[in-house]
Amino acid sequence: MTATVRSEQGRSPYTGAALGEYATSTPWDVDVAVSAAAAAAARIAETCPSTVAGWLDTVADSLVANRNELARLADAETGLGMDRLTGEVGRAASQLRFYGAVAREGSYLGATVDTTPVMIGRVQRPVGPVAVFGASNFPFAFGVLGHDAGSAIAAGNPVVAKGHPAHPGLSRRLAEIAIAALAKAGAPAGTYGLVTGFEAGQQLVRHSGVKAVAFTGSERGGTALWRLANERPEVIPVYAEMGTVNAVIVTKGAAAARADAVAVGFVESFTLGMGQFCTKPGLLLVPAGSGLPAAVSETVAALPAGVLLTEAIAVGCETGIAQLLENGATVLARGAAADEGWACATTVLTASASALTKGSPLLAEVFGPVALVAEYADSAERDQVIAQLPGALAVGVHAADGEDVAALVATVAARVGRVVFNGWPTGVATTWAQQHGGPWPATTVPSATSVGAAALQRFLRPVAYQGLPDAALPAPLRQNNPWRIPRRLDGEIE
Amino acid sequence: MTATVRSEQGRSPYTGAALGEYATSTPWDVDVAVSAAAAAAARIAETCPSTVAGWLDTVADSLVANRNELARLADAETGLGMDRLTGEVGRAASQLRFYGAVAREGSYLGATVDTTPVMIGRVQRPVGPVAVFGASNFPFAFGVLGHDAGSAIAAGNPVVAKGHPAHPGLSRRLAEIAIAALAKAGAPAGTYGLVTGFEAGQQLVRHSGVKAVAFTGSERGGTALWRLANERPEVIPVYAEMGTVNAVIVTKGAAAARADAVAVGFVESFTLGMGQFCTKPGLLLVPAGSGLPAAVSETVAALPAGVLLTEAIAVGCETGIAQLLENGATVLARGAAADEGWACATTVLTASASALTKGSPLLAEVFGPVALVAEYADSAERDQVIAQLPGALAVGVHAADGEDVAALVATVAARVGRVVFNGWPTGVATTWAQQHGGPWPATTVPSATSVGAAALQRFLRPVAYQGLPDAALPAPLRQNNPWRIPRRLDGEIE
C-alpha cells in the first residue's frame, strides 16, 4: 500500500483564484517533528529565561525584517489588506518580545521555598512539546507564530505548530523564519516545528510526545480537539479559545447622552476585519426608544464591501444570517456586497429581547460582519438577557458620566473574561493584566488566558522538591538564585 | 408516584456490625443546597479575605473543641484508630487556618493593574458554588471539611460537600459543626452545605449552579465525575486527585550504605494507615543483590494485623493482590490478617523489573497494605522502568551522601508532582510550597494542587476590567487597595 499524497491549496479571497498548492505532512513528518521537539524539551527547560527571551527577540527581529514580504503573502491568502497586515506583523513581533520579557522577569515560575516543617521548594516546570493550532483571522498575532507559540516557548517549551489551511503559504514561510531565527539565536533544533493538513493535526493531538494543546478558532474545531485529547491514554489539557457572542450593553444614560457616537463605534467595531474577530461585539443591547437601531442602520448602509477569509467562512456567514432570520430576527440593515471573491454583505439584524433566552439560536455567533441589536424595556429585562448569555470573552458596558454601574459590572463580569467600559471589545492589548478567555463555551479552560503575562501559565506544571540537595534542584530553587527571579520564602515575597 | 426513600448504612470495620442508618438526600434537598450556595456566592465573593479567614478560624476552633467526640465517631466508622484520628482533627483544623492565612495574605488574587496603553486591572474572582467529594481514607484532612472545602471557602466560594458513605455519621456531624460555626462567625447561610447518597452526588455535578468540582478518591470515581462534568452544557472543571502507584527508587549507594533502614522506612510508609494513603509507596525499585527484599520481608512478618476502611476496600485489596499474582508477581512476604472485620493481610510482592512496562497490570495501584519490590540490574534498566511509570503524586529517591542525583531527579520529576529525597512520600505538609498533584492519571488537572497555598487557585477565574471607574471595580483593584493585598503595577510588584 502506498501512502496517499495529500495537499492543501491556497486561494485568493479577492477572486477565488488558486494560489500555491502545498503537500501536507505525512504521519512520518509528524512523528519527526514531535520527536525533535521532545528531544529539545529537556534542554530548553534548563535554559535561563533570559536566554529564551533572547531567542524570541531574534524571531521578532526576523519578522520585522521580513515585514513587507510577509504582509504581501498574507494579503494574497487572507484578503485582510496591506495596512492591517503590515501592522499585525509588528504587533506579532512585539508580542514575542513581551512574552520574553515576562520570562526574564521570572515571576511566572512561581518559585516558592518553605524551610519548615520540612524543606520543600515548588516551581513551575515546562510541560514539554506544545501543539499550537493558530487561527485564520489573525495570521500573525494568533497564527503559527502568535500568542500561543510565543508564550509556550517563553515558558520553556518546544512548539509544534499546525499550519492553517486558509494561509498555507504564509504558515510555511513563518515556520521557515522561526526555525532560521531560532537556530541563529542558538536554540536547540526542534524548538519549533510545523506540520500541515487535517490528519496531521489529529495525529499531533493524539501523539504521546505532545503535552498540551493550544487552539484559537471555532467552537466546533476547538471542542473536537478537546474531545480527542480527552480520549488519550494520558489526557492532556487543551486550551481552546473559541469565542462566542460578545454583548455590549448600553444604559439609558449612555443612549441619551451619545447615541450617535455609540452607533458609529459599534459598527466600526463589529465590522473591523470584516467581523472576523473573536472579540467582535455580536449583540448590542439598547434601551427601547433610544433611536440607536436607526443610527446603526444608517452607518451600515454607508460601508464599503469587503471579502472574507475563506469560502467556508463566507458560506457560513450567509447560513448564519439565514438561521437568525428563521428564528425570528429581522433585517435592520445590509451593506454592500463584493462582486467577486468570498463575499458576505455586512448585516445588522434585530430581535426582541424576550426571545434571547438561554440556548436560543439567536445567541449563536455568526463569524463575519453580522450583529444583532435588541431593545430592552427596562433594567429588569436587560439583566434577564444578561443572565441568559453564553460565556464570552468580553462584554462592553456603555454608561453616562457618573452613572452607578457597579451592580451592572458585577452581573456582566460573571459571564466573561473581560469587561470593557465605554469602549469596544475588539482590540486586545498584550499586557501584564490582560485576560483573553472566558467561561465555557468561550474557552475550554476558563481559568486560562491566551493573551497577556498569564498566558505562560498554560504550559507549566508545578513540581515540589522535598529535602533535596541544592545541586539536584532546578535552578530557580537553588540557594544562590542563579536566574535572579522573584521568590517566596516561608510565605513571604523575597 | 412516590419518591424512593434511600439511605446509607454505617458499618464497623472492626466487626462488620451495622452502625447508624441515615436517609440520603432527595433531588429536592440537592437543589435547595445548591440554591442556598448560589445565593451566598455573590456576598462571599465581595467579603474581605480577612473576614473569610475569620470564618475558617471559627470552624477550626469548633473542630478542636469537639476533637474527642469526632475522633470516636470516626474510629467507629473507619477503624483508623483513636491516636491517628485525634491527631487528624487537629491537622484538619490547622489546614483551615492555613487556607485562611493564605487568603489574608492576598497574593492568591493575582491583582494586576496596567495603566498603558489602556487601564486594565485583572483579578482572580471566585468561581461560585464548589462541589466537594471527600475521601474515605482521611475523614478529616481530606473529608467533607478537608483541604478542598477549606481552600474553596478561603478563595471566596460556597461549598456543597457530598458526604462519604464510608463514614455517614461523621460526614453529617462535620457538616453540622461547619454550618453552626459559620453562622456564629457571621458567614452567609449557604456558605456550606452537605448532600449525601450516590444519586445526589451525580445531580450535584450536573447542577447548573455548581461551578467546579473537587474530588479525592479512586481513579474510577474521579474519572466518572470528570466525564459527567464534560457532558454538561456548561462544562466545568473537575479537580480529581486519584493517586496511582508512587515509586521509591533506591540507588546502589543508598542500598550499600543503609539497606536495613531503607527496608524499615519503606514498610512503615506503605503500611501507614493500613496502606490507605494516596501517597503510599507502592513500588520499591532496588539494585539487584542489595539484600533489600529479604530485609523488607523480615519487617513485614513482624507487623500486627489491622482492618481496612470498608468491605469494598478489603475485597479490592485481595482482588488486587490476586491480579498482581496472575500477572507474574510472586509473594515475598505476608503479614498477619485480622480475624474479623474488613481484613487484608499486609503483602509484599516481587516482580522482574523488565516486566514493569507501560500499562502493565503490575503497575496498577492496589489500595491497602500492598507493595511491590523489583530489582534493577543497572541504572539503564532503572531509568527504563521510571520512563514506563504512570503519572503519580510523588516519588521517593534514596541515595548515598554525596552521590550525584541531579539527572535521576530530573528524570523522576517529569512523572510526578513531588520528589522526596531520602524520605517517604506519605506525609504531606500543608505549606506555601506544597504540591499534591501529578500527571494524568494521578489527577485530572496536573497543573493543580489539592494541598498547599496554590490549592485556592482551583476555585478562581481571572477577569480583566478595562477602563472602569474606580467605584465599579472589585475591591482588590481599587486605587486605595482597601484589602491591603500585594499587587503588580505596570509589570512591577508593588
Side-chain angles (χ1 to χ4, degrees):
Chain A
M1 198 182 106
T2 36
T4 318
V5 176
R6 298 178 194 270
S7 67
E8 56 190 14
Q9 170 80 61
R11 289 205 173 265
S12 164
Y14 294 112
T15 62
L19 302 171
E21 186 176 355
Y22 305 86
T24 53
S25 303
T26 64
W28 191 85
D29 294 334
V30 176
D31 210 47
V32 166
V34 176
S35 300
R43 262 192 68 197
I44 307 172
E46 305 313 328
T47 302
C48 174
S50 294
T51 305
V52 173
W55 302 347
L56 290 169
D57 288 344
T58 307
V59 177
D61 290 345
S62 195
L63 283 180
V64 171
N66 294 282
R67 184 198 294 254
N68 292 332
E69 179 215 340
L70 288 169
R72 272 195 304 273
L73 199 45
D75 186 42
E77 293 187 329
T78 68
L80 289 170
M82 284 300 287
D83 283 359
R84 142 80 190 269
L85 290 164
T86 310
E88 197 185 322
V89 175
R91 177 181 159 181
S94 300
Q95 290 167 195
L96 296 178
R97 294 187 214 281
F98 174 78
Y99 292 117
V102 171
R104 269 195 192 95
E105 193 268 349
S107 290
Y108 79 100
L109 291 161
T112 306
V113 177
D114 294 325
T115 58
T116 56
V118 286
M119 200 305 282
I120 305 183
R122 182 186 200 261
V123 65
Q124 294 277 24
R125 302 279 302 160
V127 289
V130 176
V132 168
F133 290 72
S136 59
N137 58 341
F138 281 89
F140 299 110
F142 289 90
V144 294
L145 210 47
H147 286 284
D148 290 333
S151 54
I153 294 173
N157 303 285
V159 160
V160 181
K162 150 78 168 58
H164 201 287
H167 33 78
L170 179 67
S171 296
R172 285 163 176 80
R173 183 68 186 116
L174 284 169
E176 268 178 20
I177 287 174
I179 290 166
L182 287 165
K184 184 179 150 196
T191 300
Y192 186 91
L194 181 79
V195 300
T196 54
F198 178 81
E199 291 77 11
Q202 305 270 305
Q203 189 189 343
L204 193 58
V205 174
R206 285 200 188 99
H207 202 294
S208 65
V210 168
K211 297 302 177 191
V213 177
F215 169 92
T216 311
S218 68
E219 187 174 337
R220 200 177 129 200
T223 52
L225 294 185
W226 172 74
R227 275 191 210 99
L228 202 60
N230 282 349
E231 286 160 13
R232 290 169 49 119
E234 183 194 9
V235 176
I236 54 171
V238 174
Y239 298 97
E241 187 271 89
M242 304 176 289
T244 52
V245 169
N246 305 289
V248 172
I249 292 114
V250 182
T251 67
K252 291 195 182 186
R258 48 176 207 279
D260 284 353
V262 168
V264 170
F266 173 63
V267 174
E268 280 176 355
S269 180
F270 93 77
T271 60
L272 202 62
M274 281 296 280
Q276 300 166 114
F277 273 48
C278 50
T279 50
K280 178 191 82 175
L283 173 64
L284 188 71
L285 273 178
V286 302
S290 67
L292 261 160
V296 166
S297 294
E298 275 174 43
T299 315
V300 164
L303 289 175
V307 291
L308 293 169
L309 287 157
T310 67
E311 187 168 19
I313 288 173
V315 170
C317 184
E318 294 290 2
T319 310
I321 293 168
Q323 282 171 351
L324 294 177
L325 292 172
E326 272 169 35
N327 285 284
T330 54
V331 172
L332 205 59
R334 288 209 86 172
D339 293 336
E340 62 171 349
W342 316 135
C344 179
T346 298
T347 304
V348 182
L349 301 126
T350 186
S352 131
S354 62
L356 303 179
T357 52
K358 189 161 277 184
S360 162
L362 291 170
L363 291 174
E365 192 211 4
V366 180
F367 197 69
V370 180
L372 194 70
V373 178
E375 293 184 308
Y376 59 82
D378 49 30
S379 59
E381 186 173 46
R382 178 194 75 191
D383 293 350
Q384 205 179 329
V385 173
I386 293 169
Q388 314 280 320
L389 294 174
L393 296 172
V395 71
V397 172
H398 284 261
D401 285 354
E403 210 171 344
D404 181 2
V405 290
L408 177 58
V409 166
T411 306
V412 295
R415 315 294 313 130
V416 300
R418 183 167 54 110
V419 181
V420 183
F421 187 70
N422 285 352
W424 303 97
T426 43
V428 181
T430 304
T431 68
W432 283 84
Q434 190 54 276
Q435 173 61 20
H436 189 60
W440 190 282
T443 68
T444 47
V445 184
S447 57
T449 181
S450 54
V451 177
L456 275 66
Q457 295 301 316
R458 297 173 297 168
F459 310 118
L460 298 161
R461 181 177 69 78
V463 177
Y465 298 82
Q466 183 176 327
L468 265 90
D470 199 62
L473 287 169
L477 296 177
R478 284 184 212 138
Q479 266 199 326
N480 65 349
N481 192 1
W483 292 356
R484 307 268 175 274
I485 55 161
R487 307 197 291 192
R488 186 181 290 271
L489 183 64
D490 285 325
E492 308 269 337
I493 300 168
E494 276 186 322
Chain B
M1 199 182 106
T2 35
T4 318
V5 176
R6 298 179 196 270
S7 67
E8 56 191 13
Q9 170 80 61
R11 288 206 174 265
S12 163
Y14 294 113
T15 63
L19 302 171
E21 187 177 354
Y22 305 85
T24 52
S25 303
T26 63
W28 190 84
D29 294 334
V30 176
D31 210 48
V32 166
V34 176
S35 300
R43 263 191 69 196
I44 307 173
E46 305 313 327
T47 302
C48 173
S50 294
T51 304
V52 174
W55 302 346
L56 290 169
D57 288 343
T58 307
V59 177
D61 290 344
S62 195
L63 284 181
V64 171
N66 294 282
R67 184 197 294 254
N68 292 331
E69 179 215 340
L70 289 169
R72 272 195 305 273
L73 198 46
D75 186 42
E77 292 186 330
T78 68
L80 289 170
M82 283 301 287
D83 284 359
R84 143 81 190 269
L85 289 165
T86 310
E88 198 186 322
V89 175
R91 177 180 160 184
S94 300
Q95 290 167 198
L96 296 178
R97 294 188 214 279
F98 174 78
Y99 293 117
V102 171
R104 270 195 193 95
E105 194 268 349
S107 290
Y108 79 99
L109 291 161
T112 305
V113 177
D114 296 325
T115 58
T116 56
V118 285
M119 200 303 284
I120 306 184
R122 181 187 201 260
V123 65
Q124 294 276 22
R125 300 280 301 160
V127 289
V130 176
V132 168
F133 289 73
S136 59
N137 59 341
F138 281 90
F140 300 110
F142 289 89
V144 293
L145 209 47
H147 286 284
D148 289 335
S151 54
I153 294 173
N157 303 285
V159 161
V160 180
K162 151 76 168 59
H164 201 288
H167 33 77
L170 179 66
S171 296
R172 284 163 176 80
R173 182 70 185 114
L174 284 169
E176 267 179 21
I177 286 174
I179 291 167
L182 288 165
K184 184 180 151 197
T191 300
Y192 186 91
L194 179 81
V195 300
T196 53
F198 179 81
E199 291 78 10
Q202 305 270 305
Q203 188 189 343
L204 194 58
V205 174
R206 285 201 187 99
H207 201 294
S208 65
V210 168
K211 297 303 176 190
V213 177
F215 169 92
T216 310
S218 69
E219 188 174 337
R220 200 176 129 200
T223 52
L225 294 186
W226 172 76
R227 275 192 208 97
L228 202 60
N230 283 349
E231 285 160 13
R232 288 168 50 119
E234 182 193 10
V235 177
I236 54 171
V238 173
Y239 298 97
E241 187 271 268
M242 304 176 290
T244 52
V245 168
N246 305 288
V248 172
I249 293 114
V250 182
T251 67
K252 290 195 184 187
R258 50 176 206 279
D260 285 352
V262 167
V264 170
F266 172 64
V267 174
E268 279 176 357
S269 181
F270 92 77
T271 60
L272 203 61
M274 281 295 280
Q276 300 166 113
F277 273 48
C278 50
T279 50
K280 178 191 81 176
L283 172 65
L284 189 71
L285 273 177
V286 301
S290 66
L292 262 161
V296 167
S297 295
E298 275 174 45
T299 314
V300 164
L303 289 175
V307 291
L308 294 170
L309 287 158
T310 67
E311 187 168 19
I313 288 172
V315 170
C317 183
E318 294 291 1
T319 310
I321 292 168
Q323 281 170 352
L324 294 176
L325 293 171
E326 271 168 36
N327 285 284
T330 54
V331 171
L332 205 60
R334 288 209 86 171
D339 294 334
E340 61 172 348
W342 316 135
C344 179
T346 298
T347 305
V348 182
L349 301 126
T350 185
S352 132
S354 61
L356 303 179
T357 51
K358 189 162 278 185
S360 162
L362 291 169
L363 292 173
E365 192 211 4
V366 181
F367 196 70
V370 180
L372 195 70
V373 178
E375 293 185 308
Y376 60 82
D378 50 30
S379 59
E381 186 172 46
R382 179 194 72 191
D383 293 350
Q384 206 178 328
V385 173
I386 293 169
Q388 314 280 319
L389 294 175
L393 295 172
V395 71
V397 172
H398 284 261
D401 285 355
E403 210 171 343
D404 181 2
V405 290
L408 178 58
V409 166
T411 306
V412 295
R415 316 292 314 130
V416 301
R418 182 167 55 112
V419 181
V420 182
F421 187 71
N422 285 352
W424 303 97
T426 42
V428 181
T430 304
T431 67
W432 283 84
Q434 190 54 274
Q435 172 61 20
H436 189 60
W440 190 282
T443 67
T444 47
V445 183
S447 58
T449 181
S450 55
V451 178
L456 276 66
Q457 295 301 315
R458 297 173 295 167
F459 309 117
L460 298 161
R461 181 177 69 77
V463 176
Y465 298 82
Q466 184 177 325
L468 265 90
D470 198 63
L473 288 169
L477 297 177
R478 285 184 212 139
Q479 266 199 325
N480 65 348
N481 192 4
W483 292 355
R484 306 269 176 274
I485 54 161
R487 306 197 290 193
R488 185 180 292 269
L489 183 64
D490 285 324
E492 308 270 337
I493 300 168
E494 277 186 320

